[in-house]
Structures are given as structure tokens and as C-alpha cells.
Amino acid sequence: MISIPTERKVLSENDRLAAGIRKALEATHTLSLNFIGSPGAGKTAFLERTLRMLPRGTRAAVLTGDIQTENDAIRLARYGYPVRQITTAGACHLDARMVENHLIDWDLEALDLLLIENVGNLVCPTSYDLGEDGKVVILSVAEGEDKPLKYPGIFRKAELMILSKTDLLPFVPFNAELACDCARSVHPDIEIIKASSMTGDGFGQWMDWLERRMQGKQILAEDFAAAIQ
Amino acid sequence: MISIPTERKVLSENDRLAAGIRKALEATHTLSLNFIGSPGAGKTAFLERTLRMLPRGTRAAVLTGDIQTENDAIRLARYGYPVRQITTAGACHLDARMVENHLIDWDLEALDLLLIENVGNLVCPTSYDLGEDGKVVILSVAEGEDKPLKYPGIFRKAELMILSKTDLLPFVPFNAELACDCARSVHPDIEIIKASSMTGDGFGQWMDWLERRMQGKQILAEDFAAAIQ
């Protein structure tokens, strides 16, 4: 008997579900981003400030993953956008089925932007496509500069790296340029924004990036609509 | 056909190998500790300062795990103790087979202390017994206070929590007492040491803990030797 190894079977089932999510988000012109970083990299704080700064009228929603607790959903719900917590009950990553289950009965037509905060983990979430348009990796200056070399998978797959907690730079032995060089050595085209969710440093640049990406998505979605006519 | 799920088979094979390692370390009176924390929690810096401060004559060695790079082994080798890097080539945790393979041709009789630095990850390493005497979880004050609630598995299994990077406390919105309460709420008996690998704060207490634990191991090992005679 020749059987497919379990891990490959799981990933291929995940890819099938992710393709369905991607198709649905394409049809509704919803930009979706998958945020990945260590526990403590500052993912939730970054999304909190993002929600605070979104231009009035942006139709955004958030899915936030954790192994246990609804803490992050409670933090994120304060900004008036729909938020759902995905508790994975032990699993070290989000998968497409969890995302699909938590999108049920949300009207995607009414969403321009879906922000997905993955479980805090630089490794396992990398392998699971969630049907998102792009991955964003968050690395904080309280970590080591060589993290992109040690965890190359996610830095290769992410289109954007947020170097977070830049307000701590005067107090930590962290060389930001070295960290950027490490990221570019595994992914020469990665975009990088240095930001602090405490001071707001870098958020202008991040908002510009997000706006450009959302506009791009609308144009792509129009092409998609024309192609299927 | 009734078959054991792959994950359970893997874990039970791991437990068998871990039991072998534990027996060998028991016979040679070697205390072994498995350090687990997020990427960037400060595991390597903590072990560097530990090696610098060990009393002269301590017979210590280090195994350090990463997905890629030998960077940590290079950092740790500067202190004159034997160090081996385990690169997991993608795996998000160490397992007992990797430890066994890297202990080959080390004379365990000549070791009092084996420090094992796991892959940076608060989730997956928790499930893999490495044959160690105890797990130590490292949480940095640059992370969130509620990490023990979000990742309860490792905080339940660890006998000691190191609250690291305390030198950053004046610059981060982190309530150390709240973090300790969160840890105790999932594991009431967990011991906690607050430490800074930059300033050395807390290292006296950590060295006392380590010495007590090594002495305890010698006594246990003598009981073990008597029992098998």
C-alpha cells in the first residue's frame, strides 16, 4: 500500500480550503493579510493602533488566533470593528478550516480589509495558507537581529516585515540595519517598515502601504470580474 | 485495521528514547534542564551569562537548538564549555532523537550539568520530553503579561519561570506582578526568578537555585545507585 504521509495530506486539504477562501475574498474585493510573529512581537498592539488610524469608512474586520483566552479579541474590539477570536485549543497555528469556520455568516461583500492575527509562533504558521493575499512578519527590536536567518521560512514568504517596538531601540543592544540586512539576505525583495505602536512612529508609512495594497486589490478584483464574464 | 494516529506514535517513540536518555543521565548524576521560550525571549543571553558565572570546576555542557544557523553555538562556545548546535532543518522543536544523536561520544560521566536550549517556540517544544530533569520557561518583559494564560501548556510543565530582560521594565508597559500572577494561576507551585542577562540582576538567586538542584540530583543519583545494586 502506498499512502500519502499524514502531514502532506493535511496540507493538501488545507490548500483546497484556502483556495476556496481566496476565491471568495477575490470576488468581494476584500484584501486579507496574515500577521505572523513570535509571542510578544507586538502583533496585537500593532493591529490596535492600525484600527485606531484607519480612515473613517474603511470596512475592516479582524480574526485573532490564540491557543487559549479571548484576551486579544477583547483588546481589538474596542475600536468598533467586527472582531472574532479563534482559540485553537492547543494547535500552534491557524489553518484554513478555522478561518473558514469563523468567516461563516460574515458578509464579505461588506468588507474591504480582513486582518488575521496568527498564533504567536515564527515557525508553524508559515506552512498553512489561509487564503490570504499576503503575509506580514512582525519582528520586535527586543528580539535578536539574526531571527531572519534562524527562521528563514516566514521571512521568505512574507511580503512585508514590520520591525516593531522601535521606541525600545535606545535601551536594547539591537542593530536595526543588521536585522534588515539579515531579512534581505533571505528575501531580497522584502519590504520593511520600522514602527512603534507606542509612539506611532512608522504608522504613516504603514498606512500608505495598506492603502496602496487595498487599491491594488480593487483593480485586480475588477480584472478578475472581467475575466469571468 | 485499527492504527495509532501518527502524532501519538511519534510521541510514544519519543518517550521511549527520552526514557533512555533520562536513565543515562541518572546513572552519571548529570542534571539536565530544557530551556523553552519564544524567539527573542533571551534564552541564549541567559545561558551565556550562566556559563560566565558558573563556579570554577563545574563540568557543564550545552546543546542549543535552532531551525537554521550555528549562531547560538558560536556565541555559547566562548565560555570554554563544550557546546553543540542542533539544527532541526525546519522542525519547530527538539526531540529526544536529536538530543540522543548529539550526546553520542560525549562522556556523560564527565558532566555535572547539561543545559539544553530548545528552538524558540512557546508551543511545540512543550510536548517533547527530552529526558531532562526539568523544564525552565523564559518569558521576557518585552512580551505580554498574559502569555502564561495564552500558552498554558509550557507554564504548567515548567518548574521554574525566568522573567527575563528586567532591565527593560522602566521602558515597557509591563506589570511584572501581573505576569507572575498569570503564571501562578495556571501553575500554583511554579518558582519564579526575575533576571536581567544585561545587568546580572537575579543571577545570584538563579545560581543558588541551580546549585540546590545540582546537589539534589547528586543525592537522588546516590539513591538510584543504591537501589540498583
Side-chain angles (χ1 to χ4, degrees), chain A residues 32-37 43 46 115-116 118 132-139 154 157-163 190-191 206 209-210 213:
Chain A
S32 68
L33 297 172
N34 178 3
F35 291 80
I36 296 176
K43 293 179 293 304
F46 185 79
L115 304 166
I116 306 174
N118 220 307
E132 77 275 359
D133 290 290
K135 292 182 169 64
V136 178
V137 63
I138 302 200
L139 173 69
I154 180 55
K157 286 195 180 175
E159 59 182 275
L160 173 65
M161 167 171 122
I162 301 293
L163 188 63
I190 196 166
E191 293 184 77
W206 157 239
W209 188 95
L210 193 56
R213 203 67 177 71

PDB file of all heavy atoms in Angstrom, chain A residues 32-37 43 46 115-116 118 132-139 154 157-163 190-191 206 209-210 213:
ATOM      1  N   SER A  32      -6.910  40.642   2.316  1.00  0.00           N
ATOM      2  CA  SER A  32      -6.677  39.970   3.609  1.00  0.00           C
ATOM      3  C   SER A  32      -5.185  39.783   3.839  1.00  0.00           C
ATOM      4  O   SER A  32      -4.433  39.404   2.939  1.00  0.00           O
ATOM      5  CB  SER A  32      -7.426  38.646   3.666  1.00  0.00           C
ATOM      6  OG  SER A  32      -6.863  37.743   2.772  1.00  0.00           O
ATOM      7  N   LEU A  33      -4.760  40.081   5.059  1.00  0.00           N
ATOM      8  CA  LEU A  33      -3.347  39.977   5.438  1.00  0.00           C
ATOM      9  C   LEU A  33      -3.225  39.082   6.657  1.00  0.00           C
ATOM     10  O   LEU A  33      -4.019  39.166   7.593  1.00  0.00           O
ATOM     11  CB  LEU A  33      -2.790  41.374   5.754  1.00  0.00           C
ATOM     12  CG  LEU A  33      -2.794  42.363   4.578  1.00  0.00           C
ATOM     13  CD1 LEU A  33      -2.408  43.758   5.062  1.00  0.00           C
ATOM     14  CD2 LEU A  33      -1.839  41.905   3.466  1.00  0.00           C
ATOM     15  N   ASN A  34      -2.195  38.234   6.638  1.00  0.00           N
ATOM     16  CA  ASN A  34      -1.953  37.239   7.682  1.00  0.00           C
ATOM     17  C   ASN A  34      -0.710  37.676   8.469  1.00  0.00           C
ATOM     18  O   ASN A  34       0.394  37.674   7.932  1.00  0.00           O
ATOM     19  CB  ASN A  34      -1.754  35.887   6.969  1.00  0.00           C
ATOM     20  CG  ASN A  34      -1.444  34.731   7.891  1.00  0.00           C
ATOM     21  OD1 ASN A  34      -1.414  34.880   9.106  1.00  0.00           O
ATOM     22  ND2 ASN A  34      -1.205  33.566   7.297  1.00  0.00           N
ATOM     23  N   PHE A  35      -0.887  38.106   9.721  1.00  0.00           N
ATOM     24  CA  PHE A  35       0.214  38.636  10.536  1.00  0.00           C
ATOM     25  C   PHE A  35       0.840  37.516  11.365  1.00  0.00           C
ATOM     26  O   PHE A  35       0.173  36.892  12.186  1.00  0.00           O
ATOM     27  CB  PHE A  35      -0.291  39.750  11.460  1.00  0.00           C
ATOM     28  CG  PHE A  35      -0.673  40.985  10.709  1.00  0.00           C
ATOM     29  CD1 PHE A  35      -1.896  41.088  10.063  1.00  0.00           C
ATOM     30  CD2 PHE A  35       0.211  42.062  10.616  1.00  0.00           C
ATOM     31  CE1 PHE A  35      -2.247  42.222   9.341  1.00  0.00           C
ATOM     32  CE2 PHE A  35      -0.126  43.207   9.907  1.00  0.00           C
ATOM     33  CZ  PHE A  35      -1.354  43.288   9.266  1.00  0.00           C
ATOM     34  N   ILE A  36       2.141  37.336  11.184  1.00  0.00           N
ATOM     35  CA  ILE A  36       2.854  36.245  11.858  1.00  0.00           C
ATOM     36  C   ILE A  36       4.054  36.816  12.617  1.00  0.00           C
ATOM     37  O   ILE A  36       4.775  37.667  12.100  1.00  0.00           O
ATOM     38  CB  ILE A  36       3.314  35.191  10.809  1.00  0.00           C
ATOM     39  CG1 ILE A  36       2.072  34.546  10.151  1.00  0.00           C
ATOM     40  CG2 ILE A  36       4.206  34.122  11.430  1.00  0.00           C
ATOM     41  CD1 ILE A  36       2.378  33.560   9.032  1.00  0.00           C
ATOM     42  N   GLY A  37       4.248  36.363  13.840  1.00  0.00           N
ATOM     43  CA  GLY A  37       5.405  36.787  14.636  1.00  0.00           C
ATOM     44  C   GLY A  37       5.486  35.966  15.915  1.00  0.00           C
ATOM     45  O   GLY A  37       4.534  35.252  16.258  1.00  0.00           O
ATOM     46  N   LYS A  43       2.125  41.929  17.875  1.00  0.00           N
ATOM     47  CA  LYS A  43       1.114  41.829  16.810  1.00  0.00           C
ATOM     48  C   LYS A  43      -0.187  42.545  17.208  1.00  0.00           C
ATOM     49  O   LYS A  43      -0.739  43.334  16.435  1.00  0.00           O
ATOM     50  CB  LYS A  43       0.786  40.355  16.513  1.00  0.00           C
ATOM     51  CG  LYS A  43       1.936  39.559  15.905  1.00  0.00           C
ATOM     52  CD  LYS A  43       1.573  38.114  15.652  1.00  0.00           C
ATOM     53  CE  LYS A  43       1.332  37.284  16.901  1.00  0.00           C
ATOM     54  NZ  LYS A  43       2.429  37.252  17.866  1.00  0.00           N
ATOM     55  N   PHE A  46       0.101  46.295  17.430  1.00  0.00           N
ATOM     56  CA  PHE A  46       0.222  46.853  16.079  1.00  0.00           C
ATOM     57  C   PHE A  46      -1.158  46.944  15.418  1.00  0.00           C
ATOM     58  O   PHE A  46      -1.504  47.969  14.804  1.00  0.00           O
ATOM     59  CB  PHE A  46       1.173  45.990  15.233  1.00  0.00           C
ATOM     60  CG  PHE A  46       1.445  46.556  13.866  1.00  0.00           C
ATOM     61  CD1 PHE A  46       2.357  47.582  13.698  1.00  0.00           C
ATOM     62  CD2 PHE A  46       0.769  46.078  12.751  1.00  0.00           C
ATOM     63  CE1 PHE A  46       2.602  48.129  12.438  1.00  0.00           C
ATOM     64  CE2 PHE A  46       1.005  46.619  11.492  1.00  0.00           C
ATOM     65  CZ  PHE A  46       1.923  47.645  11.335  1.00  0.00           C
ATOM     66  N   LEU A 115      -8.021  41.531   8.552  1.00  0.00           N
ATOM     67  CA  LEU A 115      -6.722  41.378   9.213  1.00  0.00           C
ATOM     68  C   LEU A 115      -6.762  40.090  10.030  1.00  0.00           C
ATOM     69  O   LEU A 115      -7.671  39.906  10.851  1.00  0.00           O
ATOM     70  CB  LEU A 115      -6.460  42.581  10.122  1.00  0.00           C
ATOM     71  CG  LEU A 115      -6.518  43.950   9.420  1.00  0.00           C
ATOM     72  CD1 LEU A 115      -6.591  45.092  10.444  1.00  0.00           C
ATOM     73  CD2 LEU A 115      -5.290  44.127   8.510  1.00  0.00           C
ATOM     74  N   ILE A 116      -5.797  39.211   9.798  1.00  0.00           N
ATOM     75  CA  ILE A 116      -5.770  37.929  10.515  1.00  0.00           C
ATOM     76  C   ILE A 116      -4.510  37.894  11.378  1.00  0.00           C
ATOM     77  O   ILE A 116      -3.389  37.944  10.850  1.00  0.00           O
ATOM     78  CB  ILE A 116      -5.760  36.735   9.539  1.00  0.00           C
ATOM     79  CG1 ILE A 116      -6.941  36.843   8.558  1.00  0.00           C
ATOM     80  CG2 ILE A 116      -5.820  35.421  10.311  1.00  0.00           C
ATOM     81  CD1 ILE A 116      -6.911  35.774   7.460  1.00  0.00           C
ATOM     82  N   ASN A 118      -2.217  35.696  13.498  1.00  0.00           N
ATOM     83  CA  ASN A 118      -1.964  34.276  13.717  1.00  0.00           C
ATOM     84  C   ASN A 118      -1.539  34.013  15.163  1.00  0.00           C
ATOM     85  O   ASN A 118      -1.287  34.940  15.932  1.00  0.00           O
ATOM     86  CB  ASN A 118      -0.874  33.794  12.743  1.00  0.00           C
ATOM     87  CG  ASN A 118      -1.175  32.414  12.185  1.00  0.00           C
ATOM     88  OD1 ASN A 118      -1.413  31.488  12.955  1.00  0.00           O
ATOM     89  ND2 ASN A 118      -1.173  32.284  10.875  1.00  0.00           N
ATOM     90  N   GLU A 132      -5.069  34.060   2.295  1.00  0.00           N
ATOM     91  CA  GLU A 132      -4.798  35.491   2.391  1.00  0.00           C
ATOM     92  C   GLU A 132      -4.094  36.011   1.146  1.00  0.00           C
ATOM     93  O   GLU A 132      -3.479  35.241   0.407  1.00  0.00           O
ATOM     94  CB  GLU A 132      -3.927  35.776   3.633  1.00  0.00           C
ATOM     95  CG  GLU A 132      -2.446  35.419   3.478  1.00  0.00           C
ATOM     96  CD  GLU A 132      -2.142  33.956   3.789  1.00  0.00           C
ATOM     97  OE1 GLU A 132      -3.072  33.202   4.139  1.00  0.00           O
ATOM     98  OE2 GLU A 132      -0.956  33.568   3.667  1.00  0.00           O
ATOM     99  N   ASP A 133      -4.152  37.338   0.966  1.00  0.00           N
ATOM    100  CA  ASP A 133      -3.413  37.965  -0.139  1.00  0.00           C
ATOM    101  C   ASP A 133      -1.931  38.044   0.157  1.00  0.00           C
ATOM    102  O   ASP A 133      -1.108  37.979  -0.754  1.00  0.00           O
ATOM    103  CB  ASP A 133      -3.939  39.380  -0.380  1.00  0.00           C
ATOM    104  CG  ASP A 133      -5.326  39.361  -0.972  1.00  0.00           C
ATOM    105  OD1 ASP A 133      -5.457  38.966  -2.133  1.00  0.00           O
ATOM    106  OD2 ASP A 133      -6.284  39.707  -0.252  1.00  0.00           O
ATOM    107  N   GLY A 134      -1.590  38.250   1.413  1.00  0.00           N
ATOM    108  CA  GLY A 134      -0.177  38.382   1.731  1.00  0.00           C
ATOM    109  C   GLY A 134       0.106  38.117   3.196  1.00  0.00           C
ATOM    110  O   GLY A 134      -0.774  38.218   4.051  1.00  0.00           O
ATOM    111  N   LYS A 135       1.361  37.755   3.466  1.00  0.00           N
ATOM    112  CA  LYS A 135       1.805  37.548   4.844  1.00  0.00           C
ATOM    113  C   LYS A 135       2.650  38.748   5.274  1.00  0.00           C
ATOM    114  O   LYS A 135       3.445  39.273   4.496  1.00  0.00           O
ATOM    115  CB  LYS A 135       2.649  36.284   4.946  1.00  0.00           C
ATOM    116  CG  LYS A 135       1.859  34.987   4.721  1.00  0.00           C
ATOM    117  CD  LYS A 135       2.754  33.768   4.878  1.00  0.00           C
ATOM    118  CE  LYS A 135       1.961  32.480   4.929  1.00  0.00           C
ATOM    119  NZ  LYS A 135       1.214  32.177   3.687  1.00  0.00           N
ATOM    120  N   VAL A 136       2.468  39.164   6.524  1.00  0.00           N
ATOM    121  CA  VAL A 136       3.274  40.232   7.113  1.00  0.00           C
ATOM    122  C   VAL A 136       3.965  39.633   8.339  1.00  0.00           C
ATOM    123  O   VAL A 136       3.302  39.090   9.214  1.00  0.00           O
ATOM    124  CB  VAL A 136       2.382  41.414   7.553  1.00  0.00           C
ATOM    125  CG1 VAL A 136       3.229  42.509   8.203  1.00  0.00           C
ATOM    126  CG2 VAL A 136       1.593  41.976   6.367  1.00  0.00           C
ATOM    127  N   VAL A 137       5.295  39.700   8.376  1.00  0.00           N
ATOM    128  CA  VAL A 137       6.007  39.188   9.554  1.00  0.00           C
ATOM    129  C   VAL A 137       6.349  40.359  10.469  1.00  0.00           C
ATOM    130  O   VAL A 137       6.747  41.434  10.002  1.00  0.00           O
ATOM    131  CB  VAL A 137       7.263  38.376   9.149  1.00  0.00           C
ATOM    132  CG1 VAL A 137       8.291  39.222   8.412  1.00  0.00           C
ATOM    133  CG2 VAL A 137       7.915  37.732  10.378  1.00  0.00           C
ATOM    134  N   ILE A 138       6.122  40.165  11.765  1.00  0.00           N
ATOM    135  CA  ILE A 138       6.455  41.212  12.738  1.00  0.00           C
ATOM    136  C   ILE A 138       7.624  40.715  13.594  1.00  0.00           C
ATOM    137  O   ILE A 138       7.549  39.637  14.192  1.00  0.00           O
ATOM    138  CB  ILE A 138       5.242  41.549  13.632  1.00  0.00           C
ATOM    139  CG1 ILE A 138       4.055  41.996  12.759  1.00  0.00           C
ATOM    140  CG2 ILE A 138       5.600  42.613  14.653  1.00  0.00           C
ATOM    141  CD1 ILE A 138       2.998  42.797  13.489  1.00  0.00           C
ATOM    142  N   LEU A 139       8.687  41.495  13.602  1.00  0.00           N
ATOM    143  CA  LEU A 139       9.879  41.175  14.399  1.00  0.00           C
ATOM    144  C   LEU A 139      10.123  42.361  15.314  1.00  0.00           C
ATOM    145  O   LEU A 139      10.161  43.499  14.840  1.00  0.00           O
ATOM    146  CB  LEU A 139      11.083  40.992  13.459  1.00  0.00           C
ATOM    147  CG  LEU A 139      12.454  40.817  14.105  1.00  0.00           C
ATOM    148  CD1 LEU A 139      12.531  39.477  14.825  1.00  0.00           C
ATOM    149  CD2 LEU A 139      13.573  40.892  13.055  1.00  0.00           C
ATOM    150  N   ILE A 154       9.478  32.015   7.191  1.00  0.00           N
ATOM    151  CA  ILE A 154       8.482  33.087   7.206  1.00  0.00           C
ATOM    152  C   ILE A 154       9.017  34.361   6.561  1.00  0.00           C
ATOM    153  O   ILE A 154       8.274  35.100   5.899  1.00  0.00           O
ATOM    154  CB  ILE A 154       7.945  33.352   8.641  1.00  0.00           C
ATOM    155  CG1 ILE A 154       6.914  34.481   8.622  1.00  0.00           C
ATOM    156  CG2 ILE A 154       9.058  33.679   9.628  1.00  0.00           C
ATOM    157  CD1 ILE A 154       5.768  34.268   7.674  1.00  0.00           C
ATOM    158  N   LYS A 157       8.550  34.065   2.890  1.00  0.00           N
ATOM    159  CA  LYS A 157       7.161  34.097   2.397  1.00  0.00           C
ATOM    160  C   LYS A 157       6.470  35.435   2.622  1.00  0.00           C
ATOM    161  O   LYS A 157       5.479  35.747   1.960  1.00  0.00           O
ATOM    162  CB  LYS A 157       6.343  32.992   3.081  1.00  0.00           C
ATOM    163  CG  LYS A 157       6.672  31.602   2.541  1.00  0.00           C
ATOM    164  CD  LYS A 157       5.610  30.590   2.961  1.00  0.00           C
ATOM    165  CE  LYS A 157       5.938  29.205   2.410  1.00  0.00           C
ATOM    166  NZ  LYS A 157       5.006  28.179   2.888  1.00  0.00           N
ATOM    167  N   ALA A 158       6.951  36.220   3.582  1.00  0.00           N
ATOM    168  CA  ALA A 158       6.281  37.487   3.896  1.00  0.00           C
ATOM    169  C   ALA A 158       6.629  38.539   2.845  1.00  0.00           C
ATOM    170  O   ALA A 158       7.782  38.629   2.415  1.00  0.00           O
ATOM    171  CB  ALA A 158       6.703  37.971   5.275  1.00  0.00           C
ATOM    172  N   GLU A 159       5.657  39.339   2.439  1.00  0.00           N
ATOM    173  CA  GLU A 159       5.988  40.421   1.511  1.00  0.00           C
ATOM    174  C   GLU A 159       6.451  41.656   2.270  1.00  0.00           C
ATOM    175  O   GLU A 159       7.132  42.512   1.715  1.00  0.00           O
ATOM    176  CB  GLU A 159       4.809  40.754   0.584  1.00  0.00           C
ATOM    177  CG  GLU A 159       3.545  41.187   1.268  1.00  0.00           C
ATOM    178  CD  GLU A 159       2.432  41.455   0.248  1.00  0.00           C
ATOM    179  OE1 GLU A 159       2.391  42.582  -0.271  1.00  0.00           O
ATOM    180  OE2 GLU A 159       1.615  40.563   0.002  1.00  0.00           O
ATOM    181  N   LEU A 160       6.080  41.730   3.538  1.00  0.00           N
ATOM    182  CA  LEU A 160       6.418  42.915   4.336  1.00  0.00           C
ATOM    183  C   LEU A 160       6.904  42.478   5.715  1.00  0.00           C
ATOM    184  O   LEU A 160       6.335  41.577   6.328  1.00  0.00           O
ATOM    185  CB  LEU A 160       5.160  43.792   4.488  1.00  0.00           C
ATOM    186  CG  LEU A 160       5.255  45.005   5.418  1.00  0.00           C
ATOM    187  CD1 LEU A 160       6.252  46.035   4.878  1.00  0.00           C
ATOM    188  CD2 LEU A 160       3.871  45.655   5.607  1.00  0.00           C
ATOM    189  N   MET A 161       7.971  43.125   6.193  1.00  0.00           N
ATOM    190  CA  MET A 161       8.411  42.918   7.576  1.00  0.00           C
ATOM    191  C   MET A 161       8.168  44.212   8.345  1.00  0.00           C
ATOM    192  O   MET A 161       8.575  45.291   7.901  1.00  0.00           O
ATOM    193  CB  MET A 161       9.897  42.575   7.607  1.00  0.00           C
ATOM    194  CG  MET A 161      10.526  42.636   8.991  1.00  0.00           C
ATOM    195  SD  MET A 161      12.223  41.953   8.981  1.00  0.00           S
ATOM    196  CE  MET A 161      13.165  43.360   9.572  1.00  0.00           C
ATOM    197  N   ILE A 162       7.458  44.099   9.452  1.00  0.00           N
ATOM    198  CA  ILE A 162       7.339  45.229  10.361  1.00  0.00           C
ATOM    199  C   ILE A 162       8.393  45.036  11.450  1.00  0.00           C
ATOM    200  O   ILE A 162       8.373  44.020  12.166  1.00  0.00           O
ATOM    201  CB  ILE A 162       5.933  45.282  11.021  1.00  0.00           C
ATOM    202  CG1 ILE A 162       4.826  45.400   9.970  1.00  0.00           C
ATOM    203  CG2 ILE A 162       5.858  46.423  12.045  1.00  0.00           C
ATOM    204  CD1 ILE A 162       4.794  46.702   9.201  1.00  0.00           C
ATOM    205  N   LEU A 163       9.327  45.978  11.554  1.00  0.00           N
ATOM    206  CA  LEU A 163      10.291  45.941  12.654  1.00  0.00           C
ATOM    207  C   LEU A 163       9.656  46.758  13.779  1.00  0.00           C
ATOM    208  O   LEU A 163       9.605  48.001  13.711  1.00  0.00           O
ATOM    209  CB  LEU A 163      11.627  46.541  12.207  1.00  0.00           C
ATOM    210  CG  LEU A 163      12.764  46.371  13.210  1.00  0.00           C
ATOM    211  CD1 LEU A 163      13.093  44.903  13.442  1.00  0.00           C
ATOM    212  CD2 LEU A 163      14.014  47.092  12.717  1.00  0.00           C
ATOM    213  N   ILE A 190      11.949  41.775   0.107  1.00  0.00           N
ATOM    214  CA  ILE A 190      11.021  42.018   1.216  1.00  0.00           C
ATOM    215  C   ILE A 190      10.944  43.529   1.488  1.00  0.00           C
ATOM    216  O   ILE A 190      11.957  44.237   1.429  1.00  0.00           O
ATOM    217  CB  ILE A 190      11.445  41.219   2.483  1.00  0.00           C
ATOM    218  CG1 ILE A 190      10.274  41.161   3.485  1.00  0.00           C
ATOM    219  CG2 ILE A 190      12.702  41.796   3.125  1.00  0.00           C
ATOM    220  CD1 ILE A 190      10.469  40.135   4.599  1.00  0.00           C
ATOM    221  N   GLU A 191       9.749  44.017   1.709  1.00  0.00           N
ATOM    222  CA  GLU A 191       9.599  45.427   2.093  1.00  0.00           C
ATOM    223  C   GLU A 191       9.718  45.504   3.615  1.00  0.00           C
ATOM    224  O   GLU A 191       9.357  44.562   4.314  1.00  0.00           O
ATOM    225  CB  GLU A 191       8.248  45.965   1.630  1.00  0.00           C
ATOM    226  CG  GLU A 191       8.143  46.035   0.102  1.00  0.00           C
ATOM    227  CD  GLU A 191       6.830  46.672  -0.343  1.00  0.00           C
ATOM    228  OE1 GLU A 191       6.724  47.915  -0.261  1.00  0.00           O
ATOM    229  OE2 GLU A 191       5.931  45.927  -0.754  1.00  0.00           O
ATOM    230  N   TRP A 206       3.140  52.866   7.039  1.00  0.00           N
ATOM    231  CA  TRP A 206       2.319  51.639   7.049  1.00  0.00           C
ATOM    232  C   TRP A 206       0.919  51.913   6.482  1.00  0.00           C
ATOM    233  O   TRP A 206       0.406  51.132   5.679  1.00  0.00           O
ATOM    234  CB  TRP A 206       2.279  51.075   8.468  1.00  0.00           C
ATOM    235  CG  TRP A 206       1.129  50.176   8.811  1.00  0.00           C
ATOM    236  CD1 TRP A 206       0.221  50.372   9.806  1.00  0.00           C
ATOM    237  CD2 TRP A 206       0.770  48.923   8.193  1.00  0.00           C
ATOM    238  NE1 TRP A 206      -0.692  49.343   9.840  1.00  0.00           N
ATOM    239  CE2 TRP A 206      -0.378  48.435   8.853  1.00  0.00           C
ATOM    240  CE3 TRP A 206       1.276  48.181   7.124  1.00  0.00           C
ATOM    241  CZ2 TRP A 206      -1.013  47.240   8.511  1.00  0.00           C
ATOM    242  CZ3 TRP A 206       0.642  46.984   6.774  1.00  0.00           C
ATOM    243  CH2 TRP A 206      -0.477  46.532   7.470  1.00  0.00           C
ATOM    244  N   TRP A 209       1.221  52.127   2.774  1.00  0.00           N
ATOM    245  CA  TRP A 209       1.404  50.772   2.214  1.00  0.00           C
ATOM    246  C   TRP A 209       0.056  50.070   2.109  1.00  0.00           C
ATOM    247  O   TRP A 209      -0.298  49.477   1.094  1.00  0.00           O
ATOM    248  CB  TRP A 209       2.360  49.982   3.128  1.00  0.00           C
ATOM    249  CG  TRP A 209       2.795  48.651   2.584  1.00  0.00           C
ATOM    250  CD1 TRP A 209       3.941  48.399   1.882  1.00  0.00           C
ATOM    251  CD2 TRP A 209       2.103  47.394   2.684  1.00  0.00           C
ATOM    252  NE1 TRP A 209       4.011  47.067   1.547  1.00  0.00           N
ATOM    253  CE2 TRP A 209       2.898  46.426   2.025  1.00  0.00           C
ATOM    254  CE3 TRP A 209       0.907  46.995   3.261  1.00  0.00           C
ATOM    255  CZ2 TRP A 209       2.528  45.075   1.930  1.00  0.00           C
ATOM    256  CZ3 TRP A 209       0.529  45.645   3.157  1.00  0.00           C
ATOM    257  CH2 TRP A 209       1.326  44.709   2.507  1.00  0.00           C
ATOM    258  N   LEU A 210      -0.720  50.153   3.193  1.00  0.00           N
ATOM    259  CA  LEU A 210      -2.009  49.458   3.279  1.00  0.00           C
ATOM    260  C   LEU A 210      -2.976  50.024   2.237  1.00  0.00           C
ATOM    261  O   LEU A 210      -3.675  49.270   1.548  1.00  0.00           O
ATOM    262  CB  LEU A 210      -2.550  49.630   4.706  1.00  0.00           C
ATOM    263  CG  LEU A 210      -3.709  48.755   5.138  1.00  0.00           C
ATOM    264  CD1 LEU A 210      -3.376  47.277   4.977  1.00  0.00           C
ATOM    265  CD2 LEU A 210      -4.054  49.044   6.612  1.00  0.00           C
ATOM    266  N   ARG A 213      -2.029  48.843  -1.181  1.00  0.00           N
ATOM    267  CA  ARG A 213      -2.337  47.404  -1.322  1.00  0.00           C
ATOM    268  C   ARG A 213      -3.842  47.208  -1.500  1.00  0.00           C
ATOM    269  O   ARG A 213      -4.264  46.347  -2.273  1.00  0.00           O
ATOM    270  CB  ARG A 213      -1.820  46.706  -0.068  1.00  0.00           C
ATOM    271  CG  ARG A 213      -1.528  45.257  -0.188  1.00  0.00           C
ATOM    272  CD  ARG A 213      -0.377  44.940  -1.099  1.00  0.00           C
ATOM    273  NE  ARG A 213      -0.145  43.492  -1.074  1.00  0.00           N
ATOM    274  CZ  ARG A 213      -0.970  42.594  -1.619  1.00  0.00           C
ATOM    275  NH1 ARG A 213      -2.041  42.976  -2.256  1.00  0.00           N
ATOM    276  NH2 ARG A 213      -0.695  41.300  -1.531  1.00  0.00           N
TER     277      ARG A 213
END
